[in-house]
Amino acid sequence: MAQLYFYYSAMNAGKSTSLLQNAHNYKERGLAPVLFTAAIDERYGKGRIASRIGLASDAELFDDSTDFVAWVQAHGGRASIHCILIDEAQFLTVAQVNQLAAVVDDLNVPVVCYGLRTDFMGELFPGSARLLAIADKLSELKAICHCGRKATMTARLSGDGKVQQSGEQVVIGNNDVYVSLCRAHHRAALAGDHAAAKPARIIKE
């Protein structure tokens, strides 16, 4: 039976790499996965999923108006689609996560979502919260803080490199905007210790 999966992490944990590898595995076996990415994210071009290690693929776009049940039905259902792979799943609405559950339960198409669990303030994204609540399988992908501990949080940097302590939940950016931190350094950064978001300078003898 099909299942709903949610792979979550902080930034720079290889979510897109894992998604693209998963898609390759399906195609290698003669199966047809469909990739989706958020229309709001154009860092690598519109309708493009790319990883930091150079893998990339075209993808369908979703926004708040996308109805996943209707889309799958209109494109042949289980007979034509063997898996749905969703990048940037934190941008899904709660209603869309419920739709994806219906794609799994009613149309028997597996759905694998990859996304951030929390925003730069450590608050759950609504889509991620719903996935954590109803996904059949949850898996954390590991990112590393500059101190060497597991990074579970993501901090947002302003133009001068300081950690932002307020602002809109959704701002698109790469490593120049976001940094992955362990909880301790994230707490310190939000408390005003901007150095907590940066690795200590290594002095070579």
Side-chain angles (χ1 to χ4, degrees):
M1 293 296 291
Q3 292 187 311
L4 175 60
Y5 301 80
F6 182 33
Y7 290 87
Y8 63 89
S9 72
M11 292 279 287
N12 299 325
K15 294 183 294 298
S16 296
T17 301
S18 180
L19 182 154
L20 293 167
Q21 179 64 57
N22 200 352
H24 172 76
N25 291 344
Y26 271 91
K27 293 175 183 177
E28 197 172 43
R29 288 160 178 79
L31 301 175
V34 175
L35 284 59
F36 277 92
T37 191
I40 194 175
D41 186 357
E42 298 183 6
R43 287 174 296 168
Y44 307 106
K46 202 170 187 68
R48 188 82 172 159
I49 298 173
S51 72
R52 290 178 294 122
I53 64 171
L55 300 176
S57 177
D58 292 332
E60 301 290 336
L61 294 172
F62 73 85
D63 58 24
D64 289 352
S65 68
T66 302
D67 184 326
F68 286 100
V69 173
W71 195 98
V72 172
Q73 289 175 329
H75 289 80
R78 177 67 181 182
S80 302
I81 301 170
H82 297 116
C83 183
I84 300 287
L85 301 170
I86 298 184
D87 198 29
E88 305 297 346
Q90 70 272 10
F91 297 137
L92 294 166
T93 67
V94 171
Q96 286 173 327
V97 175
N98 292 337
Q99 291 166 14
L100 292 171
V103 168
V104 171
D105 297 341
D106 302 336
L107 305 181
N108 197 31
V109 177
V111 175
V112 189
C113 298
Y114 297 81
L116 300 174
R117 180 177 61 171
T118 58
D119 63 17
F120 74 109
M121 293 294 293
E123 300 293 335
L124 289 167
F125 286 96
S128 300
R130 188 59 179 159
L131 282 165
L132 289 169
I134 70 170
D136 297 297
K137 292 189 177 180
L138 303 171
S139 183
E140 184 179 23
L141 300 177
K142 188 176 181 182
I144 304 296
C145 180
H146 60 76
C147 69
R149 286 181 287 191
K150 182 173 74 171
T152 58
M153 315 298 290
T154 301
R156 183 190 295 164
L157 306 178
S158 59
D160 58 4
K162 292 184 177 180
V163 175
Q164 292 187 5
Q165 297 165 298
S166 63
E168 297 180 5
Q169 185 176 51
V170 177
V171 173
I172 303 299
N174 285 314
N175 292 345
D176 58 331
V177 178
Y178 292 100
V179 60
S180 298
L181 300 172
C182 65
R183 184 179 60 239
H185 278 116
H186 188 263
R187 289 176 57 242
L190 287 184
D193 180 5
H194 299 293
K198 302 174 184 177
R201 185 180 172 210
I202 298 175
I203 301 176
K204 295 183 179 180
E205 298 293 341

